[in-house]
Amino acid sequence: MVKTKIEGYAKIIRPQNFDEIMLLAERARGQSIKMINATAVGGGVAEILTRVVPLFNELGIKTKWEVIKGSGEFFGVTKAFHNALHGSKTEITEQMMNIFKETSEANLAEMSFDEDVVIIHDPQPAGLIAAKEKSKAKWVWRCHIDTSHPQPEAWNFIKSFVEKYDASIFSTPWFAKELPIPQYFIYPAIDPLAEKNRELSSGEIDAVMRKYKIDRSRPILTQVSRFDYLKDPLGVIETYKLVKKQRDCQLVMAGGGASDDPEGDQVLHKVQEAAKGDPDIHILLLPPFADLEINALQRASTIILQKSLREGFGLTVTEALWKGKPVVAGAVGGITLQVIHNFTGMLVHSIEGAAYQVRYLLNNPQFAKKMGEYGREHVREKFLITRKLRNYLLLLISLKNQGKDLIEL
Amino acid sequence: MRAKTPFQFYTSSQLVEITGRKAAKLKTFLDIIKEIEASSIFYHVHHAFREHQFAPGMYTNDFAHWVGEEISKDALAERLANINIKDYTDIASLREKIVETIESYLKEDPESGNLEAKHNFYFCKSVAVVMKTKYLVWDQEEFCSILGKVGLRSLFFHFFEARLRLGRKTNDFSDWIKFNFKKEKLARQIEELDPYLYTMDQLRDQIINLVRGKKDSLWERLLKWLKPR
């Protein structure tokens, strides 16, 4: 697991904010946490855990990270739940619910929960709550997905587990549900010192662009995301085609797969079909740990697109904003918290809208630059890993003082 | 001059809790404001101060923002934005003013009460964790020097949270200066600073300047005026 020294962040955020994190850590020290999710690599959750877990340990909060095991069939089921919780029409059958329960039980047989706090990420491992009765831990369900308009059958099934937790965390207030447990609101975050976000030299950027044969002398539009229908990759190609009618540009679509997403291959195939015959469309299927490549692609881009149709939070948007890039993104989910229209980026509702905003930004580079600068400051204040650490430390303190609005330490 | 009692700097960090209550119409919005916990009112009127440090939004509180952006009732949004938290020393009277403002608007424009908002208003509240910092000061110069160093959450705690959430009626800085140095005019000047005119950094500078008895030069005032808030 990656080791980053906590002191490295003192130069990135306000020093006073850094001191306050250390102060909170002193008060929470000695507690232990277990983080559990469904995949060790690929996707935003695994990525943030990779960074957060070592930092917690460095702060004196003993933190372990475990990944549940499951068959392809199980991950097919959880992908269906994922889509249904995002609001897509997906059939949820009793057999699927049984597969979910059986896999939860099989994992329970191999796991122990001796920590003070157990944090379960997303629906896949939610069934582990069955172990709560036998453990002394406080159990927290961390929801990373957009549950604002879920399919009722899927939500009711997941809810039957979630309501047994001690607390829940959502990425925005509008994802929260009617639940009998406290619901906290914590933004996801990116790590400015991670390979994916650190500053790069122009030599490093050039090397990646040469590797993928992308021409740096012409405008580059880029979308970095999994090949997933909810990220609207086909809509991105349509957007590019509309822009290309009036402005020369290239399109880069870069993404990897995740072991809990069996639908990826099918989507990638359709995207390749749609891009066929255009040498200026670069479809890059990147392996896990291609963080340097992603960083370089984002930094070399003229405009970053994130034309999602549904989105939990959209960490790729956060990454682009942190790099000072102008962003054109779908006005969905957590993207609307990051992109303040016309100020830190452009929010769009259609392919045509996206194409128009891309053309506008290409024609107004000074405005695009200023927007990028505001976007970076917005991320510095709200969406860096230091803020997340602070919130988790507050959560640990709050769980020990449940029911109090004012905790004086 | 050494104070009789030192000034202890505290800091306050907030974890935001979603109350689960939401409004899609102005009437429901009003009903919830009447009965929601005080910590929710506190959160929504102060949120902008805590969150927008590099560029303030158009509205000074979340209630005004929702009315303006989501139900497009600009006159009511402006009236709500004009409620100055500094005029209130407890949440009950602040809540009463918000309620009265909305009720009086609804009398003028009764149909607005049932308009569907573009997006719901989600009521949140915050859990505050208050901690002592390592800074303890005994005189005014030391006070200024440390105030320049502490985090903005510390400033927020002593200037806003102490007044309304802890019910201390005034900000902690004015209280300490008045009690220890008998400088009632200075205490009043600090209390009267209008937070809506400054970013938190600028507010901090203003307090330090007042305590040091420093007036901005014409040039400094011009620069501040030009600097984006």
Side-chain angles (χ1 to χ4, degrees), chain A residues 63-271:
Chain A
T63 307
K64 283 185 193 164
W65 172 19
E66 291 182 12
V67 175
I68 55 162
K69 293 174 193 156
S71 61
E73 193 182 29
F74 170 73
F75 287 120
V77 166
T78 56
K79 180 69 187 174
F81 279 131
H82 179 93
N83 289 343
L85 289 171
H86 266 292
S88 304
K89 279 189 180 171
T90 312
E91 197 189 357
I92 304 295
T93 64
E94 203 160 330
Q95 193 199 354
M96 291 161 91
M97 296 181 193
N98 288 336
I99 291 168
F100 184 92
K101 286 178 187 164
E102 283 160 20
T103 307
S104 301
E105 279 164 22
N107 276 287
L108 277 171
E110 293 182 12
M111 295 174 113
S112 62
F113 304 95
D114 304 319
E115 293 74 11
D116 298 310
V117 178
V118 176
I119 303 178
I120 303 285
H121 295 261
D122 278 342
Q124 302 94 324
L128 299 179
I129 189 65
K132 186 185 167 191
E133 280 175 18
K134 291 180 194 161
S135 85
K136 65 173 173 70
K138 293 274 186 188
W139 287 66
V140 179
W141 185 60
R142 195 343 171 182
C143 179
H144 295 268
I145 57 181
D146 176 353
T147 45
S148 49
H149 301 95
Q151 244 188 60
E153 312 84 69
W155 171 245
N156 287 337
F157 178 67
I158 296 300
K159 185 185 168 195
S160 66
F161 300 103
V162 171
E163 58 195 9
K164 293 176 187 152
Y165 283 73
D166 294 297
S168 55
I169 306 170
F170 290 86
S171 297
T172 78
W174 58 90
F175 293 171
K177 313 304 295 174
E178 278 188 21
L179 288 169
I181 57 172
Q183 302 177 69
Y184 297 107
F185 155 37
I186 299 182
Y187 293 132
I190 58 159
D191 185 343
L193 298 179
E195 189 71 353
K196 207 187 223 180
N197 299 307
R198 70 172 173 89
E199 295 294 326
L200 295 181
S201 67
S202 50
E204 286 175 302
I205 299 173
D206 284 340
V208 172
M209 302 311 276
R210 273 197 304 274
K211 178 176 166 187
Y212 293 112
K213 300 185 176 61
I214 300 163
D215 178 5
R216 283 200 80 181
S217 66
R218 293 152 61 217
I220 302 166
L221 318 179
T222 300
Q223 172 154 310
V224 176
S225 64
R226 287 191 205 185
F227 292 98
D228 181 329
Y229 288 121
L230 297 178
K231 313 289 180 193
D232 199 18
L234 298 170
V236 170
I237 294 179
E238 287 302 307
T239 300
Y240 155 82
K241 286 179 177 169
L242 282 176
V243 175
K244 184 92 175 182
K245 280 184 188 169
Q246 307 192 32
R247 281 291 304 249
D248 181 33
C249 60
Q250 306 160 83
L251 174 66
V252 176
M253 297 181 73
S259 57
D260 62 342
D261 182 10
E263 209 175 59
D265 290 345
Q266 188 194 350
V267 181
L268 176 65
H269 180 70
K270 287 200 174 171
V271 168

Side-chain angles (χ1 to χ4, degrees), chain B residues 163-178:
Chain B
R163 288 180 88 250
L164 272 179
R165 195 167 196 172
L166 306 183
R168 290 182 190 158
K169 311 288 181 199
T170 181
N171 72 83
D172 287 344
F173 307 137
S174 293
D175 202 29
W176 183 68
I177 282 166
K178 192 172 155 186

Side-chain angles (χ1 to χ4, degrees), chain A residues 1 15 27 44 57 117 151 181 222 225 228 237 252 270 295 304 357 369-370 384 389:
Chain A
M1 200 172 288
R27 311 301 165 108
N57 282 308
V117 178
Q151 244 188 60
I181 57 172
T222 300
S225 64
D228 181 329
I237 294 179
V252 176
K270 287 200 174 171
N295 190 347
I304 300 281
Q357 298 297 358
K369 184 171 178 272
K370 196 77 203 154
L384 292 185
L389 280 178

Side-chain angles (χ1 to χ4, degrees), chain A residues 14 16 183 390 405 407, chain B residues 13 18 128 130 149 153 201:
Chain A
R14 286 174 182 251
Q16 302 95 331
Q183 302 177 69
R390 164 196 290 280
D405 282 343
I407 302 165
Chain B
S13 288
I18 306 157
V130 178
K149 273 189 200 168
R153 289 182 182 84
D201 281 313

Side-chain angles (χ1 to χ4, degrees), chain A residues 14 16-17 19-20 23-24 27 148 170 172-178 182-187 340 343-344 373-375 377-378 381-382 387 390-392 394-395 397-398 404-409, chain B residues 10-20 37 39 43 47 51-55 122 124-135 148-154 161 165-166 168 201 204 228:
Chain A
R14 286 174 182 251
Q16 302 95 331
N17 289 349
D19 291 346
E20 286 175 16
L23 204 57
L24 283 168
R27 311 301 165 108
S148 49
F170 290 86
T172 78
W174 58 90
F175 293 171
K177 313 304 295 174
E178 278 188 21
Q183 302 177 69
Y184 297 107
F185 155 37
I186 299 182
Y187 293 132
I340 303 168
F343 184 55
T344 64
E373 286 166 10
Y374 284 138
E377 288 314 304
H378 193 44
E381 277 183 16
K382 292 190 178 171
R387 175 123 188 188
R390 164 196 290 280
N391 280 325
Y392 270 117
L394 287 169
L395 176 72
I397 294 167
S398 180
K404 285 189 191 170
D405 282 343
L406 189 69
I407 302 165
E408 293 182 73
L409 297 178
Chain B
Y10 281 79
T11 185
S12 161
S13 288
Q14 301 201 358
L15 181 65
V16 183
E17 189 174 336
I18 306 157
T19 66
E37 298 109 295
S39 58
Y43 173 78
H47 179 218
E51 294 298 317
H52 299 287
Q53 290 171 9
F54 76 98
Y122 294 87
C124 296
K125 61 178 187 171
S126 60
V127 177
V129 175
V130 178
M131 297 175 297
K132 266 185 194 176
T133 69
K134 61 184 176 190
Y135 299 114
K149 273 189 200 168
V150 293
L152 295 179
R153 289 182 182 84
S154 191
E161 206 154 14
R165 195 167 196 172
L166 306 183
R168 290 182 190 158
D201 281 313
R204 181 214 307 261

